[in-house]
Amino acid sequence: MKKLIVLSAFSMVLMNCNKKPEAPVADPVSADTTTATEKVTDTLGAKSFCYMGVTGKDTVFVSIDDNLGTITGKMATKNSEKDSNKGKLTGFKSGDTLKLTYTFAAEGKNDNKNDLYFIQTKDGLNEGIGERDAQTGTKYADEKKIKYSDGRTLKTADCKIVADALK
């Protein structure tokens, strides 16, 4: 009989040693998924960027909206000794390059067009400079020969200042 009691006690000890502690039961009210505490970020909507570049007494203002690679925006160049111009940007993003068409008003004409390419960096935009097509004068002759180190550099700017300049 003693053996039976010792064996039973030993069995109970072994069974309790292998037993895992029970997880506390979650309060059903605190598990409500309808109340989100994290901020939801829209990763698919248009992203707006503003830039400004100053060269001597001349200033360039650019505001662009990037909607999944489709670019729209506005640009204004305020020159001190030449005619200034203002217009719209349209185009697309290819990698880190913005390939844009600038439609603007200058010298009494409202339908001027010029292709502009920019490399977009975390600090701003670097304008591409290259030989223009002899027929159109507005398009680049060879995209592979565009140099981005020779063009204007536009730095990230406050969108309120840029918007005021683009009015």
Side-chain angles (χ1 to χ4, degrees), residues 74-134:
K74 294 180 181 180
M75 181 170 150
T77 304
K78 298 197 177 189
N79 296 315
S80 64
E81 295 182 13
K82 299 188 280 183
D83 283 346
S84 296
N85 57 64
K86 186 185 290 188
K88 295 182 181 186
L89 295 167
T90 56
F92 62 95
K93 185 173 184 176
S94 175
D96 61 354
T97 305
L98 304 180
K99 298 181 177 185
L100 307 173
T101 299
Y102 180 43
T103 306
F104 59 99
E107 299 177 6
K109 292 175 63 180
N110 290 329
D111 60 347
N112 297 298
K113 288 188 179 186
N114 202 12
D115 281 358
L116 298 175
Y117 286 15
F118 292 97
I119 293 286
Q120 188 176 33
T121 66
K122 64 178 180 157
D123 298 325
L125 299 175
N126 294 326
E127 183 181 9
I129 301 295
E131 185 180 332
R132 297 289 177 164
D133 178 65

Side-chain angles (χ1 to χ4, degrees), residues 1-164:
M1 180 86 167
K2 279 184 178 182
K3 287 182 181 180
L4 187 58
I5 292 174
V6 171
L7 190 58
S8 295
F10 184 74
S11 297
M12 300 251 321
V13 169
L14 283 176
M15 287 189 342
N16 282 331
C17 285
N18 289 334
K19 193 173 187 183
K20 294 181 181 175
E22 291 183 25
V25 177
D27 183 16
V29 175
S30 67
D32 186 4
T33 57
T34 59
T35 56
T37 56
E38 294 181 29
K39 182 179 176 187
V40 177
T41 305
D42 178 15
T43 57
L44 297 177
K47 311 271 184 290
S48 296
F49 303 96
C50 298
Y51 303 97
M52 185 171 84
V54 179
T55 306
K57 294 180 180 180
D58 301 338
T59 308
V60 177
F61 299 94
V62 174
S63 170
I64 62 170
D65 293 322
D66 181 351
N67 190 5
L68 300 175
T70 300
I71 306 294
T72 57
K74 294 180 181 180
M75 181 170 150
T77 304
K78 298 197 177 189
N79 296 315
S80 64
E81 295 182 13
K82 299 188 280 183
D83 283 346
S84 296
N85 57 64
K86 186 185 290 188
K88 295 182 181 186
L89 295 167
T90 56
F92 62 95
K93 185 173 184 176
S94 175
D96 61 354
T97 305
L98 304 180
K99 298 181 177 185
L100 307 173
T101 299
Y102 180 43
T103 306
F104 59 99
E107 299 177 6
K109 292 175 63 180
N110 290 329
D111 60 347
N112 297 298
K113 288 188 179 186
N114 202 12
D115 281 358
L116 298 175
Y117 286 15
F118 292 97
I119 293 286
Q120 188 176 33
T121 66
K122 64 178 180 157
D123 298 325
L125 299 175
N126 294 326
E127 183 181 9
I129 301 295
E131 185 180 332
R132 297 289 177 164
D133 178 65
Q135 269 188 315
T136 65
T138 62
K139 300 197 177 295
Y140 291 106
D142 187 355
E143 289 183 20
K144 295 176 184 170
K145 293 183 179 178
I146 297 173
K147 294 182 182 177
Y148 294 93
S149 59
D150 297 342
R152 291 183 279 203
T153 299
L154 308 178
K155 297 289 182 188
T156 305
D158 181 1
C159 285
K160 183 175 179 352
I161 293 169
V162 173
D164 289 343

